Amino acid sequence: MARPVWSGVITFGLVTVPVRMYSATEDHTTHFHQLQRGTDDRVRNKRVNERTGKDVGYDDIVKGYEISDGEYVTVEPEELQDIAPGKSQVIDVSGFVAADEVDPVHYVRAYYLSPGGEQYHKPYELLRAALATTGRTGIATFVMHSKEYLVALRAGEDVLALHTLHWADEIRDPREELPELPEHERTGSRELRTAQQLVESMSTTFRPQDYRDTYEERVRALIEAKAKGERITPEEGPPEATNVVDLSEALNRSIERARARGGGRGGGTARRGGTGRSGARSGSRGAGRSGAGGGSRAGSRERPREGRRKSAPKKTSAGRGGPPLEELSKDELYRRATDRGVKGRSRMTREQLAEALGASKKAA
């Protein structure tokens, strides 16, 4: 059972709802220790005086703000606590806005809120239901660990969610920060209409469970392989940028490919954050994989649908009628080889992985 990271009350109007706050996410990143090369000796960080080189105890460390070269103003923890905002146990809702008014660039971290006790279930659920039915998001401020936060209060299916937000002066203006931006595409242009058709042909329903951190899986596979004295094959590089001259042709071929594979609907080959690597399983192992954006370079070679059906029995996965193994990315082939326990997979090329998977299917 998770432990609350904060407890207090939500206030809106004259209504006060006691709540407890819990982190909504967790980190699954593989964490490494630092070792001296050639040994198993850990490397430790120490707090030392820059001038004398001597260790400094934690109790002897204070915060310092540099006001000029080498000159600091020191601030004690108690001084910061004295000036912290007084409402340290209150999520003070100042108003409610339409949910789409909050630009996603403002979101920082997500938390879940639970009622502060069984006697507060009624007002808690009333607030959640009111936000859900009106499509509104509460905007509030509160203090946690001596820091003030701007937050958005949203209604989930069963729970109130709180998202910390960046303050306005923390958001960069892309027109000032980026070296160049293109002019807006002319409305009604042929390329824009084709691009819109491609977007529609790849439209789907967002299913987070269909997406996996394929890089993290490769990190763990690397550790596993090195522990066994094996080597792992390097990841393929990113695809080349589309030539502007061939843009229309690339768009049209992408539309044909998406339609041939059933578009993006009904689950499909998932990729994380546009990395160009294909990855996740759909919710059902029996479901077909959508080709659009599937990350397979081989898949960019168009084949007649009729020919594709003929080749499917040869090297499709589990005979599900999905894309041939030759059209899958190396990352997806490696994942399937891992699922089937193919030995020596970490040293195989993309073609060897496809052959090994085809052989394992025949043997099964």
Side-chain angles (χ1 to χ4, degrees):
M1 184 69 68
R3 297 180 60 184
V5 296
W6 181 91
S7 61
V9 298
I10 300 173
T11 63
F12 60 105
L14 299 177
V15 180
T16 299
V17 184
V19 293
R20 300 187 185 99
M21 189 167 73
Y22 301 82
S23 179
T25 60
E26 61 184 2
D27 182 22
H28 65 199
T29 302
T30 299
H31 296 281
F32 293 92
H33 294 297
Q34 291 183 323
L35 307 177
Q36 183 176 359
R37 190 184 302 278
T39 74
D40 288 335
D41 300 336
R42 292 277 300 274
V43 176
R44 303 285 185 177
N45 294 322
K46 288 186 176 182
R47 299 181 178 87
V48 298
N49 184 305
E50 186 180 60
R51 180 177 56 83
T52 66
K54 294 181 179 180
D55 291 354
V56 179
Y58 185 80
D59 292 339
D60 292 327
I61 296 176
V62 296
K63 295 181 183 293
Y65 184 86
E66 189 171 23
I67 57 176
S68 63
D69 188 20
E71 184 178 357
Y72 294 86
V73 171
T74 59
V75 180
E76 297 288 345
E78 296 79 11
E79 294 176 306
L80 291 174
Q81 292 175 4
D82 289 341
I83 64 171
K87 295 183 179 180
S88 60
Q89 299 298 309
V90 178
I91 299 173
D92 187 12
V93 179
S94 59
F96 298 92
V97 302
D100 58 3
E101 286 187 33
V102 184
D103 191 314
V105 73
H106 285 272
Y107 287 104
V108 181
R109 188 169 181 181
Y111 296 89
Y112 293 137
L113 300 177
S114 74
E118 187 174 353
Q119 66 271 35
Y120 304 117
H121 284 197
K122 181 66 173 179
Y124 175 95
E125 173 55 21
L126 281 175
L127 175 57
R128 189 209 63 80
L131 292 177
T133 55
T134 60
R136 294 279 170 171
T137 293
I139 302 299
T141 56
F142 87 112
V143 176
M144 179 171 62
H145 306 315
S146 299
K147 182 177 179 180
E148 187 171 19
Y149 292 88
L150 177 67
V151 299
L153 192 63
R154 297 176 56 251
E157 184 176 352
D158 301 305
V159 67
L160 283 171
L162 180 143
H163 299 265
T164 55
L165 305 175
H166 286 292
W167 299 95
D169 61 358
E170 295 178 322
I171 305 299
R172 293 178 174 179
D173 186 339
R175 291 164 295 189
E176 297 178 359
E177 300 294 334
L178 304 185
E180 57 182 334
L181 287 172
E183 296 293 332
H184 285 191
E185 180 68 20
R186 180 172 56 86
T187 303
S189 69
R190 182 166 60 86
E191 289 86 357
L192 178 57
R193 290 195 300 271
T194 306
Q196 289 169 339
Q197 291 177 21
L198 175 58
V199 171
E200 289 298 328
S201 69
M202 295 175 62
S203 295
T204 185
T205 300
F206 178 53
R207 289 167 46 87
Q209 62 269 30
D210 287 349
Y211 295 79
R212 295 157 40 249
D213 187 346
T214 55
Y215 172 71
E216 184 62 24
E217 291 180 355
R218 295 285 289 179
V219 170
R220 293 172 183 171
L222 171 63
I223 294 171
E224 177 186 343
K226 295 200 71 172
K228 296 178 180 178
E230 300 175 350
R231 297 183 62 184
I232 194 166
T233 52
E235 182 66 15
E236 294 178 359
E240 295 181 2
T242 303
N243 190 318
V244 176
V245 177
D246 302 328
L247 182 57
S248 295
E249 180 184 357
L251 287 168
N252 284 314
R253 287 168 65 86
S254 297
I255 293 172
E256 293 173 6
R257 177 180 167 189
R259 288 174 176 168
R261 296 185 179 181
R265 296 176 176 83
T269 303
R271 297 185 300 170
R272 184 188 177 190
T275 60
R277 298 171 184 155
S278 69
R281 302 175 190 170
S282 63
S284 166
R285 290 189 63 87
R289 299 184 182 270
S290 64
S296 166
R297 291 183 185 82
S300 63
R301 299 191 295 270
E302 287 296 317
R303 300 181 183 176
R305 294 185 65 185
E306 199 172 319
R308 195 175 295 159
R309 283 196 297 269
K310 290 179 181 177
S311 63
K314 193 168 57 172
K315 285 186 181 180
T316 56
S317 63
R320 295 195 298 269
L325 293 174
E326 296 94 333
E327 293 192 3
L328 298 178
S329 70
K330 183 179 178 182
D331 188 71
E332 175 65 10
L333 290 170
Y334 187 87
R335 185 190 67 75
R336 297 190 183 193
T338 301
D339 289 345
R340 296 192 187 180
V342 175
K343 295 182 178 179
R345 58 187 180 274
S346 63
R347 298 188 297 271
M348 293 183 182
T349 65
R350 182 170 171 276
E351 291 72 20
Q352 290 171 333
L353 286 168
E355 291 291 338
L357 284 168
S360 68
K361 175 180 174 293
K362 290 177 181 179

